Amino acid sequence: MSVVKSIELVLPKDAVYLAGSTVEGQVVLTLYSTLVDPVVKVELVGRGYVEWNEETGETLDYSRDVICNNKADYVHKTKTFPVAGNWLGAGSHTFDFHFNLPPRLPSSFASKTGHISYFIQASCMGREHILGRKKVYLLVQGTSDGVQENCPQRPLMVQVEKKVSYNCCSRGTVGLWVHMDKNVFTPGEKVAFTTEIHNQTGKCLRSVVAALHAHVQYQGFTPSAERRCRTDSTQLLRQEASAHIGAFTTTKMVSTFSLPLLLAVSGSGRQHELMHTRYELVVTVPLPWSLSSVKARLPIVVTRSPADSSSQLLVLGGVSPELGAPGGREQTPGE
């Protein structure tokens, strides 16, 4: 039986740490009996990895799946705690620690194709054997490079018009105008936009849908070191507003939604080693009687300035599984 009863990490619950901020916590080690020559340490680790299978065909002279992958190490710091007399008695022992996160880090991220994760791991060793270990994942909000930090705010308007047929021989147009006072935002900020629908048909329009999409381009390499890219899209937020937009009328709507507190920043320098993220607001007016829709797409820039060394954000709600830190099995004493 291991002499270690338990090893725990005490950290603020549901905290989102800004790159450049400080992670503070405690290691609580509980022993059944006296442990001689213990090594008690804590590590801060941050790394990313992407991998996917790419189908190839006759155009490349072979037909087989190729595994594309890439990885990056962002931070690895270790603190070993001094032990007076080189022994610890039975009972609980508390060790305080703090780590300064590097100022330029990508955000925590998880998807089927890749992940960027940060964790704190505490361990206790005796005579070169690991007696106990515990790992806790952190949520880290990345910061922007200098270009994105100084990205100017600009009003943005997109106009789309579509000609449609209805009632067999009738034709008309549906116009969609979407206006934003700015298109540069920070995680957690409210996004406001105005939608104007010009219904020049004899049919009634019933709803307007707004959705925020993240388009992530992953960068990897084949076993022969050829660079490959893959792009996946995820819907992060969706709003559907019921409306009664009568025939040959114009309706204006003002909408708002809040961005998640944890997001990859647009075009982050360090994250670009593995992936490049861009965001798009898509406003859709369904036309069920014509089996089509009218869509307006507006690019959104997500940026975040570096924090001072003590800054951290607290998560008030859940984190999107596509953009939050990946879950991990916590290792317990004796593993």
Side-chain angles (χ1 to χ4, degrees):
M1 182 181 71
S2 173
V3 69
V4 174
K5 181 179 181 180
S6 66
I7 183 168
E8 300 293 335
L9 280 164
V10 181
L11 291 162
K13 188 178 180 181
D14 295 331
V16 176
Y17 295 92
L18 221 53
S21 66
T22 301
V23 180
E24 297 180 336
Q26 293 179 326
V27 177
V28 180
L29 175 66
T30 305
L31 303 177
Y32 285 111
S33 59
T34 299
L35 179 61
V36 179
D37 292 333
V39 177
V40 183
K41 65 180 182 179
V42 63
E43 298 172 89
L44 167 65
V45 180
R47 55 197 178 203
Y49 185 76
V50 298
E51 180 178 292
W52 71 90
N53 288 342
E54 188 169 287
E55 296 181 359
T56 59
E58 295 178 355
T59 56
L60 296 179
D61 298 327
Y62 54 92
S63 181
R64 60 187 174 89
D65 288 348
V66 173
I67 296 178
C68 302
N69 56 34
N70 198 1
K71 63 180 180 179
D73 293 318
Y74 299 113
V75 59
H76 193 168
K77 297 182 178 182
T78 303
K79 177 178 176 59
T80 302
F81 300 104
V83 177
N86 288 330
W87 66 275
L88 294 172
S92 294
H93 306 270
T94 301
F95 305 89
D96 297 325
F97 68 87
H98 74 272
F99 289 112
N100 293 324
L101 292 170
R104 299 293 185 187
L105 288 176
S107 300
S108 300
F109 180 92
S111 72
K112 294 180 180 179
T113 303
H115 69 265
I116 294 173
S117 61
Y118 302 89
F119 61 85
I120 296 287
Q121 180 170 271
S123 61
C124 176
M125 297 181 61
R127 296 181 181 177
E128 299 183 356
H129 294 287
I130 296 176
L131 303 175
R133 180 182 289 158
K134 186 72 173 231
K135 179 189 292 185
V136 173
Y137 283 90
L138 305 177
L139 298 178
V140 174
Q141 171 60 52
T143 55
S144 306
D145 55 31
V147 175
Q148 291 294 338
E149 287 171 27
N150 300 318
C151 189
Q153 299 280 7
R154 295 192 182 97
L156 188 65
M157 174 176 280
V158 174
Q159 302 180 22
V160 181
E161 189 175 88
K162 188 168 189 175
K163 295 181 179 181
V164 294
S165 300
Y166 60 96
N167 293 344
C168 295
C169 300
S170 300
R171 292 180 63 84
T173 60
V174 176
L176 174 60
W177 296 8
V178 183
H179 176 265
M180 304 174 71
D181 290 334
K182 63 175 187 176
N183 72 325
V184 180
F185 302 93
T186 58
E189 189 176 354
K190 285 189 176 181
V191 177
F193 55 96
T194 301
T195 304
E196 192 170 312
I197 302 101
H198 301 262
N199 181 17
Q200 299 302 310
T201 72
K203 291 284 190 176
C204 182
L205 305 178
R206 301 292 183 182
S207 65
V208 178
V209 180
L212 177 66
H213 294 263
H215 306 290
V216 184
Q217 184 186 69
Y218 301 96
Q219 301 202 41
F221 296 89
T222 67
S224 58
E226 297 177 42
R227 181 184 291 273
R228 298 290 175 83
C229 295
R230 171 193 175 103
T231 301
D232 291 335
S233 297
T234 303
Q235 182 176 282
L236 302 181
L237 298 170
R238 186 178 187 275
Q239 280 185 355
E240 182 169 358
S242 298
H244 183 85
I245 306 171
F248 302 102
T249 61
T250 296
T251 298
K252 182 180 290 187
M253 304 170 60
V254 178
S255 306
T256 61
F257 62 82
S258 296
L259 294 175
L261 290 174
L262 177 61
L263 283 174
V265 296
S266 302
S268 172
R270 295 217 61 189
Q271 181 162 311
H272 191 64
E273 299 171 9
L274 296 181
M275 58 190 75
H276 179 277
T277 306
R278 62 181 180 88
Y279 298 93
E280 188 177 52
L281 174 65
V282 181
V283 181
T284 305
V285 178
L287 309 175
W289 31 267
S290 71
L291 301 179
S292 63
S293 61
V294 183
K295 290 187 178 183
R297 301 178 181 273
L298 296 88
I300 286 181
V301 176
V302 174
T303 184
R304 191 64 168 92
S305 298
D308 71 48
S309 61
S310 62
S311 295
Q312 76 175 30
L313 300 175
L314 292 180
V315 176
L316 302 180
V319 176
S320 165
E322 289 295 322
L323 295 176
R329 185 173 67 93
E330 294 184 341
Q331 295 170 301
T332 53
E335 288 190 311

